[in-house]
Every structure is written in C-alpha cells, then in structure tokens.
Amino acid sequence: MHIPDGFIDGKTAVVTGVISAVGVGFALRQVQRELPPRKVPLLGLAAAFLFAAQMVNFPVAGGTSGHLVGGTLVAALLGPSAAVVVVTTILIVQCFLFQDGGVTALGANIFNMAIINSAAGYAVYRLVGRWLKGLRGQVTAIGFAAWCATVLAAICCAGQLTWSGTIPWSVAFPAMTTVHMLIGIGEGLISALVFLAVSSARPDLIAETTPTGRPQRLGELVGYGLLITLGIAVFVAPFACSWPDGLDSVAEKFGFSHKTMAVLPAPAPDYQIPGIHWAVGATAMAGVIGCLVVFGLALLMGRWLVPKLKEP
C-alpha cells in the first residue's frame, strides 16, 4: 500500500503531510506520558520485526501480493500511540533508504499505514474485545481488527488517489477495497498468530495488562526477538512473492502505473544493495541493514523519551 511519488498531487501531499505531522506529534506526546519505561526496548524490537515482516509479501488471488502492515498488532501490544511511532519510523526508513514509498507521498503513507491502521485497528480491537472474553476472544478481536484496519487504510488511499485526480472514486473505491479485503485476511491471520504467541509466552507485555509483582527483564526477549527478526530478513524475505502488491496491481490494471517516479535517489532501491550481484544476498543484506536501522532509531526515540517517563 506504499504510495510512490507521482500518484498524488501537491495539495494532497501537503494536506496529508500536515495531518500526519500533527498525528505523529500527538503520538510522541502520548508515548512520553503513558509508555512504561520497561517497555521501551520493545519499540525497537517491534520496529525491526515489522520491517522484516513487511518485506515478506504473500500471494493473493489474481496475481497480487500483500504484506503485513502491523499497526493494529503493535497497538494491541504497546498501545496505539507507540504503534504510530513504530510504523512511522519504518515508513521513513523504507522511503529514504529503499525507495519504498515516495518522498512526496510520505505524509499519505504515514496517515494510512501508521495512523489509520494503528488507531482505527486498536479502536475496533477494544470494541470487539469487550464482547469476546478470554484469550480466544482477544485473538479473534485482533484478527478482525487488523482486517478492518487494512480495508479502512485502503479506502483512505483510494480517496487520496481520487482527490489527486489519478483515478475516479467509482473505480478506486471498489478496486482498492476488494483487493485489500483479501490482503486483510493475511494481515488478520498473522496478527492473530503473533498476538497469541506473545500472549501465551509473556501476558505481561499486552497493553491492557497491569503487571503484578516485579516486572520481568526484557533483555533476553529483545535479544532473541532481534535474532529471529534478522533470520526472517535473511532466510525468508529474499524468497517472498514477487507479484505486485495491492496498490501496484490496481495501478497496472487501471493504467496509472506510468505515473510512478522517484523524487530522490535511494542508497538501496527495491531492497537491493549496490555492488552485490547475487539478488538473494543483496535482498538479505538490505533486510539486515533495514532491521538494524529501524531498531536503532526506534530504540533511540524511546531512550530520548525515557527520562520524562514515570512508572505508574
């Protein structure tokens, strides 16, 4: 769902950029106020995991692929504001290092995938979770919420394309909604499985859980989690489905893919490290670098906020 340069016009880029800046600023303030210091290392781990997971496209019907966005998942684990910060960090790195998402469209991508996917998904998760009790209910709620958030983000993307004059609403809405209803199934299943694994192993990490007793150390969890994440980047991402994702597929089908352009050059476009002629190795190296960069940035952001945080 990463919008490249050329798909939206100037007014859409400016408006979405301003809205996203306000939203991210609010998220940073909320993280500063609400995130427990013991969970700060999880910002880096969540960012690294989502970066690796977003490199793994899975096939969808009709020659289209999709990938995890993960905002709803992180929101359920760390809170919606932390999820906005995590996904925004990933989108910035993807944009400027790997040319995945346009510079002029960065505000739109942050609005769709960081703000809408995280905040709206979390709202649905909490609403449904009130009716479905127990771990099974929570897992069901997170799967449904992730699906809803994916479809809603796609609808917002369709509106931005229409407002830019790229494609009529009568075409954009059904096209983007239909394909992302299918992609959302994968988003929901992955989110539910990861949430189930975390809930079973470390229930104290869930956002709504009130820790009792002395909090468990997270260093070991973060260390092993980062190793697993790097393993995904090295051994899984290079073999991901190469079919176009939902937005690219719609662009090809309705004839506006030629609008794609690059405003700024990137060091490793399309996740290929220059000078490495082995495609698998180049993608794996790009994945490792990306994971470490987003891990470091998110962790530094958390450390910067830590002195101003207070334990409840």
Side-chain angles (χ1 to χ4, degrees), residues 35 42 45 58 109 113 160 176 237 241 251 253 277 281 283 305:
L35 186 70
L42 298 180
L45 179 59
F58 50 83
N109 287 326
M113 289 186 282
Q160 292 155 6
M176 289 292 292
C241 181
K253 182 177 180 180
H277 303 291
T283 302
L305 296 173

Side-chain angles (χ1 to χ4, degrees), residues 50-69:
L50 285 191
F51 181 90
Q54 287 190 13
M55 291 183 66
V56 183
N57 281 45
F58 50 83
V60 181
T64 303
S65 69
H67 63 73
L68 180 73
V69 176

Side-chain angles (χ1 to χ4, degrees), residues 6-290:
F7 277 21
I8 61 174
D9 62 3
K11 71 176 186 305
T12 306
V14 171
V15 171
T16 55
V18 171
I19 294 175
S20 294
V22 173
V24 173
F26 178 77
L28 287 170
R29 187 175 181 180
Q30 293 301 110
V31 167
Q32 188 180 53
R33 290 178 173 180
E34 299 175 0
L35 186 70
R38 69 187 185 89
K39 289 189 175 183
V40 166
L42 298 180
L43 289 176
L45 179 59
F49 173 77
L50 285 191
F51 181 90
Q54 287 190 13
M55 291 183 66
V56 183
N57 281 45
F58 50 83
V60 181
T64 303
S65 69
H67 63 73
L68 180 73
V69 176
T72 303
L73 172 62
V74 178
L77 297 175
L78 299 177
S81 295
V84 171
V85 173
V86 165
V87 180
T88 297
T89 302
I90 295 169
L91 292 172
I92 291 173
V93 172
Q94 289 173 333
C95 173
F96 289 102
L97 290 188
F98 304 105
Q99 214 169 71
D100 190 7
V103 176
T104 59
L106 184 58
N109 287 326
I110 290 175
F111 180 77
N112 298 337
M113 289 186 282
I115 297 175
I116 291 295
N117 192 273
S118 301
Y122 182 75
V124 175
Y125 162 68
R126 291 301 303 274
L127 180 62
V128 176
R130 293 178 181 178
W131 300 95
L132 303 177
K133 305 300 182 180
L135 179 57
R136 181 177 300 179
Q138 285 186 307
V139 172
T140 302
I142 192 67
F144 178 69
W147 180 85
C148 291
T150 300
V151 175
L152 183 57
I155 293 174
C156 291
C157 180
Q160 292 155 6
L161 295 174
T162 298
W163 201 36
S164 300
T166 302
I167 183 174
W169 176 252
S170 60
V171 176
F173 175 76
M176 289 292 292
T177 302
T178 301
V179 69
H180 284 90
M181 286 175 69
L182 298 175
I183 293 173
I185 296 174
E187 176 91 14
L189 287 174
I190 296 171
S191 298
L193 289 173
V194 174
F195 184 85
L196 176 61
V198 174
S199 298
S200 300
R202 293 294 300 270
D204 58 302
L205 298 182
I206 306 303
E208 292 80 15
T209 301
T210 301
T212 58
R214 185 177 179 179
Q216 301 180 40
R217 293 178 61 86
L218 296 179
E220 186 176 4
L221 172 67
V222 173
Y224 281 118
L226 186 58
L227 286 176
I228 293 171
T229 296
L230 294 176
I232 294 173
V234 172
F235 300 114
V236 181
F239 309 103
C241 181
S242 60
W243 293 347
D245 68 7
L247 177 58
D248 291 336
S249 178
V250 171
E252 292 179 2
K253 182 177 180 180
F254 294 99
F256 60 93
S257 59
H258 65 280
K259 291 179 174 288
T260 303
M261 56 182 294
V263 172
L264 292 177
D270 298 323
Y271 301 94
Q272 293 292 308
I273 301 298
I276 301 180
H277 303 291
W278 181 34
V280 172
T283 302
M285 182 61 68
V288 170
I289 292 173

